[in-house]
Amino acid sequence: MDRAVLQYPILGGQSTRLNTIDVYLPSDQESGETDDSSKIWIIYIHGGAWRDPDATSETFIPASEMLRNEVQFHKHVAGMAAINYRLSPYPAKQGDDPPDDPARNARHPDHIEDVLSGLKFLQDKYGFGERYVLVGHSAGATLAWHVLMYTGSTASISAMTSMTNQECGLPLPQAIVSVAGVYDIPSLLRRHKDNPIYEEFVRGAFGDSSDEWLQASPLQWLQDHDLDQEWPNGRVVILAQSKEDGQVENEQVTDMWDTLCKQNEEQEGKREQQEQSSSEKLSNGDELRGRRHQQLIWLEGEHDSVWKEGKQLVNVILAAIDRLF
């Protein structure tokens, strides 16, 4: 499987050197298209606190190499991609980049605009529709949820970004794999109030308004929205976290998990009432339609070990693939 680095345009903006995508395709399949409409794509969003130049699409390389050795991969996956995006300022790692480098001065919603632009580029080029698993680590996991938040069925992209819904026109993924994510930005700051680094990167990425921090938090969005309505084609949600993670506290994932479970239980109750009141017996396929598999997977090791050693990231991706098929 060959890896190519492609530049993508930003919808409503000017591309920078960081607006690239690593695309992995079988060497005999340059187009990325397949006659088998059941095959899916794996799309990865890297972390790095929205600002670390050392965390790039290349953090997906260890997992991508291991995935190629898996039977499920060859049976079900048409291609893979890892998206780079503009970063927020990080003075301690500025290096030789000029202070006004547009690739290093992003502020929300720049990051999600880039991810949406990258997804639009991939869709235009390879046309896989909803047949993809969106995978994110750390800040990348937050951005994976932002894809739902800003392109869901009731979302207005233009309210948060310079794009319009018509410009974006993105099919949502069938599955999200969310690893070591930040789901509640205000609580992240409260729990790490004695470490100024957290406030520094949050302010650099999201500005100084606590209201903006709350609005950008997937947990708050999930509490305020019906996930079935926002994501009607969603089939799988996997949350993964290491109990040994020294950077993102476990409460981030447990709070998100509890909210997902509560909402899912409420929706199941509504479905049962609808089925009981229906005079027509549903087929098995109809009974399962709209029901989402949700799973919390506990990992091991430090925050970045998940992608550095690769195997644990592979395992959570395979868990999503298994549920889709």
Side-chain angles (χ1 to χ4, degrees):
M1 180 168 278
D2 297 332
R3 169 174 164 257
V5 179
L6 306 179
Q7 189 87 23
Y8 66 86
I10 299 176
L11 298 173
Q14 185 68 38
S15 293
T16 72
R17 58 185 173 79
L18 289 182
N19 293 115
T20 61
I21 303 178
D22 296 356
V23 175
Y24 301 81
L25 291 174
S27 55
D28 60 346
Q29 189 180 314
E30 294 183 3
S31 69
E33 297 177 353
T34 174
D35 293 334
D36 186 349
S37 61
S38 69
K39 284 197 170 184
I40 61 172
W41 274 65
I42 308 297
I43 300 178
Y44 178 78
I45 309 171
H46 70 79
W50 296 275
R51 67 175 187 170
D52 191 346
D54 295 330
T56 70
S57 59
E58 293 186 356
T59 60
F60 186 57
I61 290 177
S64 72
E65 293 176 344
M66 292 180 183
L67 277 167
R68 301 175 212 183
N69 298 321
E70 300 291 338
V71 173
Q72 300 101 307
F73 176 83
H74 292 283
K75 187 176 180 180
H76 299 302
V77 178
M80 300 184 291
I83 302 175
N84 284 311
Y85 49 88
R86 287 171 290 172
L87 301 176
S88 297
Y90 194 175
K93 288 190 176 183
Q94 191 64 31
D96 296 330
D97 296 335
D100 61 350
D101 183 355
R104 300 287 306 278
N105 280 277
R107 176 168 289 186
H108 180 72
D110 293 342
H111 317 95
I112 184 58
E113 282 189 359
D114 288 6
V115 170
L116 294 176
S117 296
L119 289 171
K120 180 68 161 56
F121 172 83
L122 289 169
Q123 290 284 6
D124 289 346
K125 189 171 180 64
Y126 302 113
F128 45 82
E130 67 175 19
R131 293 179 291 107
Y132 68 104
V133 177
L134 193 58
V135 184
H137 175 261
S138 192
T142 312
L143 287 168
W145 282 95
H146 281 179
V147 170
L148 298 187
M149 291 165 64
Y150 301 137
T151 60
S153 63
T154 66
S156 173
I157 296 173
S158 57
M160 286 302 299
T161 78
S162 61
M163 289 183 246
T164 66
N165 287 285
Q166 184 176 7
E167 284 177 318
C168 194
L170 280 175
L172 294 175
Q174 290 184 328
I176 285 183
V177 175
S178 184
V179 183
V182 175
Y183 309 112
D184 185 353
I185 297 171
S187 73
L188 180 82
L189 294 180
R190 288 195 301 271
R191 290 169 180 143
H192 298 273
K193 61 183 179 181
D194 295 330
N195 188 339
I197 289 177
Y198 285 81
E199 186 169 338
E200 179 183 293
F201 76 69
V202 166
R203 290 184 183 275
F206 296 95
D208 298 328
S209 170
S210 58
D211 290 339
E212 291 290 335
W213 306 341
L214 189 62
Q215 290 174 11
S217 297
L219 179 62
Q220 179 65 41
W221 176 83
L222 186 62
Q223 291 171 343
D224 293 341
H225 292 79
D226 181 341
L227 189 57
D228 281 358
Q229 181 180 357
E230 297 295 329
W231 189 28
N233 67 310
R235 295 175 54 197
V236 178
V237 176
I238 293 182
L239 303 182
Q241 174 82 13
S242 171
K243 292 183 178 180
E244 301 160 6
D245 193 317
Q247 297 183 34
V248 175
E249 68 277 10
N250 290 329
E251 288 84 355
Q252 289 289 328
V253 75
T254 55
D255 289 350
M256 190 70 167
W257 176 249
D258 289 346
T259 302
L260 276 169
C261 290
K262 179 181 178 182
Q263 188 171 123
N264 201 44
E265 289 172 1
E266 292 172 351
Q267 292 301 324
E268 283 296 320
K270 292 178 182 178
R271 292 188 193 103
E272 289 176 2
Q273 290 178 357
Q274 291 171 353
E275 290 175 8
Q276 290 171 0
S277 64
S278 175
S279 59
E280 187 173 344
K281 183 174 176 58
L282 299 173
S283 69
N284 287 335
D286 288 331
E287 287 178 351
L288 292 173
R289 188 174 300 150
R291 295 183 179 178
R292 193 173 51 252
H293 171 75
Q294 299 177 168
Q295 187 173 2
L296 173 58
I297 299 176
W298 289 105
L299 308 175
E300 297 179 351
E302 291 294 328
H303 185 71
D304 289 335
S305 65
V306 175
W307 63 259
K308 284 182 177 179
E309 53 88 17
K311 184 58 178 175
Q312 293 188 92
L313 184 56
V314 167
N315 287 341
V316 294
I317 293 172
L318 291 177
I321 293 175
D322 287 343
R323 283 295 173 174
L324 288 176
F325 296 95

